[in-house]
Amino acid sequence: MQRLPNPALATVRSGSGLLVVWEMIHPNGHSVWGTRINTLPKVADTAVDRDASSPFRISPPIALPAGMTLSAAVTGIDSGWIVSWASTQWAQSVAIRNKANLSTTSDISTIQQAKPFSVFGWSRDSLVEYPTLAYRRRFATYGSDTIPSQVAYLAYQQDPMGVLDEGLIMAHPLFASFPTGARPLLRVGPGEHVSEGLDYCEFRHPCIALDSLRIGVAFEAVRATQDIDIILRFRDTSLRRMALQSGWWLTPAYRWGQPGRKYERPSVTHFPTADSASLRSNPQGGLVWQWINSPDSAGFQQFLYRYGRTAKEGFPDGQHPTMTLLPYRRNDPFPQGSVFYRGEDSAQFTGARRAGGTGIYWPGLVENKTMNPSPLFAKIPKGTIMAEARLRAGFLMGPCPTADPGNHHFDVAISFPPTPPQPPFGLPPGLPPIFFGPTTGKTIVDSIDVVHRVTRTATFLAPSGNVPINRRAVRSQDLVSWLYTKPYDSVLQREADILFITELVRNSDTVVLWRGDTLSARTMADDTMEEVVTVPVGGYAAQGTEVYIQLRPVLTHTVEVEASTEFVFIEQESSGFARRVKWMEERTKDQGSRVLQLQVVPNPTVADKAQVQVQVRDAGKVLLGLYTILGQRIAALPDCEADTGGIVSQELDLRGLQPGIYLLVAEQGRHKASVKVTVVGE
């Protein structure tokens, strides 16, 4: 008995024609078949029967491991189609000419194989699953060709040898040409590693989309905890336009995910050629996925993210959502869009089959129809997008979760609060800069030295007062233990550490106008910190100056890390900023009154000397030290000796210090207190 699973279809981009492909499973193996339909069917099944060509075989039979399918994909191009499918060794593809009564010998190219470049610990000759295609609608001359090729992109999941559903995400450009009177030609460009550098155990189920500017792939990313996030990553097209050499995708990834949740099956549309400011008032296109372990859903809960929003939105339960550009519009379809999905299991029903007998069916549903617009597409869910850096140290090789590659990590993120400074904004205004399309590669992060390109705010005009920012830091306890094994840094004169400094930067020349406090992985009070930080912009930049705020990482010389960056979407209801700020203020006040408080008078100061006042709860010695904002020790001050609880005073010598911000630290036993000391030039 033959089975015909996994159908896919696509229209040709120029002219008339529809290609339907499917997988045929029979005793000899799995093969891909297709049929060309001359015109789009209008109403009845008879229209399909009348206009469809005879089915033809596209690929020879392939023996597959149990549980694996060919998962054929098709995309329409100007002169026909490109079809790709999975195999036990590389992804396979053909180009098909759009022609009535096409010939399998003269109108279908020879099968071409996409072979990824070598990745450490991964076989190039391993299983391939879930190919996905998109047409770039661009013509380019390939190699020494005399006629231009039509360029599409292929992405797929590359598995380790013999293991299903544990892979990396790879991509290749495909070049199709259709010489007159000759067989179509298809060439496969060099491989690219889409999931490079992302701190996860494995990656699954890619979905690709592109336009004339952007190439993006959405996919699942599995953590060591087995939580599954949704990732959307764009190719650094501005740096490698023609894609004629292999390489790694280095742009920051968009991430949606929460602890304990498993998100699956992303589906993404093309990306609109609109900037961030336009998208904020007019969201377009979108990305959908399903939540498979929701505790209160009859099926799977589903989510929609529209380009331009700061948060996702849920819609009715179902399965396998697909983002489309329906209702069908040739002109400006992006503001429209629909979601097509299968109904939940409780909605299944039994019905007659055309071939005889009965079968089990699920309803197919469309959210946002032409005559029935969905309120889902008009909603404005509340949330924020944080630009985050993850620094990983003590990298361990091995399968997850026994050796988590991110077990020594320090994550620091920045964003504006819901009400940012007033426009006009520069790049990026509230959304990641990739929505502007390729610019100069300024969000490419290939070393620790350029992480601050991502962990920054929009450019804004300096007001006369302060500007608040959200700042979040997450540290693993394993990292703290690891730092204690590293030697003392004699250059910075501090213990091994990973630091992030808050800086106010002038946009015109990137001069740092102000430096705030330093986040230290070693000395954070808690493993997770969320706070609102007030930046004194008006005190350091003339009103109207274009500025931005950034978090810049600094390492002691005895520490090496790997850096990756992401844009993280945080729902307003799950954010703890307001709660955390209040809690931190209360805790600081409570602990300070009971244990240790520190004050410098006057502060700010223009004098050579100031007075240090230390309030202690218990008798004992208090150690004092003065540091730069980078954590470099300037001087060890004379100790304070408290005979009883109360206030102890001591003189602070500031002679020889340049104007700026310094940090005075007091220690008594296991308790610490610190205060920023601002030295102002006369």
Side-chain angles (χ1 to χ4, degrees):
M1 179 179 177
Q2 296 178 344
R3 293 190 293 126
L4 311 175
N6 304 323
L9 57 92
T11 59
V12 69
R13 293 299 183 93
S14 296
S16 174
L18 173 73
L19 183 68
V20 182
V21 298
W22 63 89
E23 182 174 349
M24 181 177 289
I25 303 175
H26 44 78
N28 293 330
H30 300 241
S31 57
V32 178
W33 287 67
T35 184
R36 178 190 178 276
I37 299 173
N38 292 329
T39 56
L40 288 172
K42 301 299 182 183
V43 285
D45 289 344
T46 54
V48 179
D49 296 337
R50 184 185 67 243
D51 294 334
S53 66
S54 299
F56 52 88
R57 192 174 71 182
I58 298 174
S59 75
I62 303 173
L64 299 178
M68 181 178 172
T69 65
L70 295 177
S71 303
V74 58
T75 186
I77 57 179
D78 282 66
S79 302
W81 299 271
I82 295 175
V83 179
S84 298
W85 58 92
S87 79
T88 56
Q89 194 177 47
W90 316 330
Q92 300 183 337
S93 304
V94 296
I96 300 177
R97 179 181 280 115
N98 180 28
K99 178 181 176 183
N101 302 314
L102 61 85
S103 166
T104 56
T105 57
S106 59
D107 296 315
I108 301 179
S109 72
T110 58
I111 296 174
Q112 299 298 307
Q113 306 197 82
K115 188 173 185 178
F117 67 98
S118 180
V119 176
F120 178 76
W122 225 259
S123 171
R124 300 177 69 190
D125 302 327
S126 55
L127 299 174
V128 164
E129 296 188 87
Y130 309 113
T132 174
L133 289 163
Y135 179 36
R136 195 176 177 188
R137 196 148 207 165
R138 174 178 178 175
F139 291 80
T141 302
Y142 183 88
S144 59
D145 287 356
T146 57
I147 61 173
S149 295
Q150 298 166 48
V151 184
Y153 249 82
L154 164 70
Y156 55 88
Q157 175 182 319
Q158 183 81 32
D159 296 334
M161 184 64 74
V163 180
L164 295 174
D165 274 337
E166 292 186 8
L168 307 174
I169 305 301
M170 298 292 181
H172 296 260
L174 302 178
F175 301 85
S177 58
F178 298 83
T180 303
R183 194 172 188 176
L185 296 174
L186 181 69
R187 271 69 59 87
V188 179
E192 300 173 5
H193 185 184
V194 177
S195 53
E196 161 67 21
L198 300 179
D199 191 17
Y200 292 87
C201 298
E202 57 195 69
F203 306 93
R204 305 171 181 164
H205 301 142
C207 181
I208 193 171
L210 51 86
D211 62 12
S212 59
L213 292 177
R214 304 171 186 83
I215 300 169
V217 180
F219 50 92
E220 302 164 16
V222 183
R223 294 193 176 276
T225 58
Q226 298 305 296
D227 296 338
I228 304 176
D229 295 346
I230 296 298
I231 297 291
L232 173 59
R233 197 177 206 183
F234 291 90
R235 183 180 184 274
D236 46 333
T237 305
S238 62
L239 300 185
R240 291 181 286 121
R241 292 189 180 278
M242 289 302 298
L244 294 179
Q245 62 182 33
S246 61
W248 300 266
W249 288 25
L250 300 173
T251 50
Y254 296 62
R255 175 169 67 84
W256 294 263
Q258 294 184 34
R261 294 193 176 189
K262 298 181 186 294
Y263 290 156
E264 282 192 352
R265 299 290 181 173
S267 174
V268 65
T269 67
H270 298 61
F271 309 110
T273 53
D275 63 31
S276 299
S278 301
L279 287 170
R280 287 172 61 186
S281 58
N282 181 30
Q284 302 184 26
L287 164 69
V288 291
W289 66 89
Q290 63 189 25
W291 178 16
I292 66 168
N293 65 336
S294 172
D296 54 358
S297 293
F300 294 155
Q301 190 171 344
Q302 303 178 107
F303 294 109
L304 165 68
Y305 169 74
R306 302 202 72 198
Y307 309 134
R309 296 300 190 208
T310 56
K312 65 184 187 302
E313 181 66 31
F315 62 96
D317 292 350
Q319 296 185 50
H320 306 298
T322 299
M323 191 74 207
T324 77
L325 293 181
L326 294 173
Y328 180 71
R329 292 181 58 183
R330 286 189 179 275
N331 298 320
D332 195 22
F334 295 102
Q336 297 296 314
S338 296
V339 183
F340 178 70
Y341 62 97
R342 195 184 88 176
E344 60 192 33
D345 287 346
S346 61
Q348 70 183 33
F349 59 92
T350 301
R353 290 175 171 167
R354 289 186 57 193
T358 59
I360 298 176
Y361 296 85
W362 284 263
L365 305 171
V366 176
E367 187 78 18
N368 201 37
K369 302 176 184 177
T370 305
M371 303 303 294
N372 186 21
S374 169
L376 171 67
F377 282 69
K379 281 190 174 182
I380 307 177
K382 296 180 180 180
T384 186
I385 305 175
M386 300 203 76
E388 181 176 83
R390 165 165 281 204
L391 305 186
R392 294 172 294 167
F395 186 82
L396 299 178
M397 295 299 296
C400 287
T402 55
D404 178 2
N407 58 352
H408 302 150
H409 67 89
F410 189 35
D411 308 340
V412 177
I414 184 175
S415 74
F416 278 134
T419 304
Q422 292 299 307
F425 288 108
L427 179 71
L431 280 179
I434 195 66
F435 277 114
F436 277 84
T439 52
T440 57
K442 290 298 185 183
T443 59
I444 304 302
V445 174
D446 54 8
S447 74
I448 187 72
D449 299 326
V450 292
V451 165
H452 61 274
R453 292 177 179 175
V454 172
T455 53
R456 51 159 288 185
T457 70
T459 301
F460 59 95
L461 300 182
S464 59
N466 299 331
V467 172
I469 59 168
N470 290 336
R471 189 173 66 179
R472 182 178 71 168
V474 179
R475 170 202 64 188
S476 67
Q477 271 299 317
D478 288 335
L479 175 64
V480 179
S481 302
W482 181 83
L483 287 170
Y484 274 102
T485 68
K486 297 302 171 183
Y488 183 83
D489 185 342
S490 58
V491 177
L492 293 180
Q493 298 184 26
R494 66 179 299 149
E495 301 293 342
D497 207 348
I498 300 174
L499 311 168
F500 271 88
I501 306 169
T502 305
E503 298 178 329
L504 175 67
V505 183
R506 187 165 56 210
N507 188 52
S508 60
D509 53 10
T510 67
V511 168
V512 176
L513 304 176
W514 170 87
R515 286 192 173 98
D517 59 334
T518 300
L519 292 174
S520 163
R522 190 184 184 103
T523 62
M524 270 178 56
D526 298 285
D527 288 341
T528 299
M529 180 193 70
E530 293 178 321
E531 59 182 348
V532 177
V533 177
T534 300
V535 179
V537 176
Y540 293 86
Q543 189 171 357
T545 304
E546 289 191 2
V547 294
Y548 59 89
I549 301 163
Q550 68 183 17
L551 300 178
R552 182 167 61 89
V554 175
L555 309 179
T556 58
H557 292 74
T558 55
V559 172
E560 293 184 358
V561 300
E562 292 187 357
S564 61
T565 52
E566 296 177 329
F567 295 116
V568 184
F569 290 73
I570 298 177
E571 310 299 317
Q572 189 177 62
E573 61 270 19
S574 65
S575 174
F577 282 109
R579 175 181 56 79
R580 284 279 181 174
V581 171
K582 182 179 179 182
W583 174 78
M584 288 178 64
E585 289 174 349
E586 290 175 349
R587 188 191 63 169
T588 302
K589 180 178 179 182
D590 182 54
Q591 285 192 344
S593 63
R594 290 187 296 106
V595 184
L596 190 64
Q597 277 190 323
L598 187 62
Q599 186 177 12
V600 175
V601 181
N603 191 14
T605 179
V606 296
D608 291 336
K609 296 180 180 180
Q611 193 74 17
V612 179
Q613 297 177 350
V614 184
Q615 180 175 329
V616 297
R617 184 190 64 183
D618 305 316
K621 182 181 293 186
V622 180
L623 306 179
L624 295 173
L626 188 64
Y627 299 81
T628 69
I629 204 68
L630 295 178
Q632 182 177 0
R633 188 166 182 153
I634 298 175
L637 307 179
D639 301 337
C640 292
E641 189 71 41
D643 297 328
T644 62
I647 296 178
V648 181
S649 297
Q650 182 168 299
E651 192 174 78
L652 176 61
D653 188 351
L654 301 174
R655 287 176 297 181
L657 294 183
Q658 295 295 320
I661 297 177
Y662 299 87
L663 195 67
L664 180 66
V665 178
E667 299 182 59
Q668 187 186 43
R670 62 185 181 88
H671 300 294
K672 282 187 179 182
S674 63
V675 64
K676 285 183 286 186
V677 181
T678 302
V679 178
V680 182
E682 296 182 359

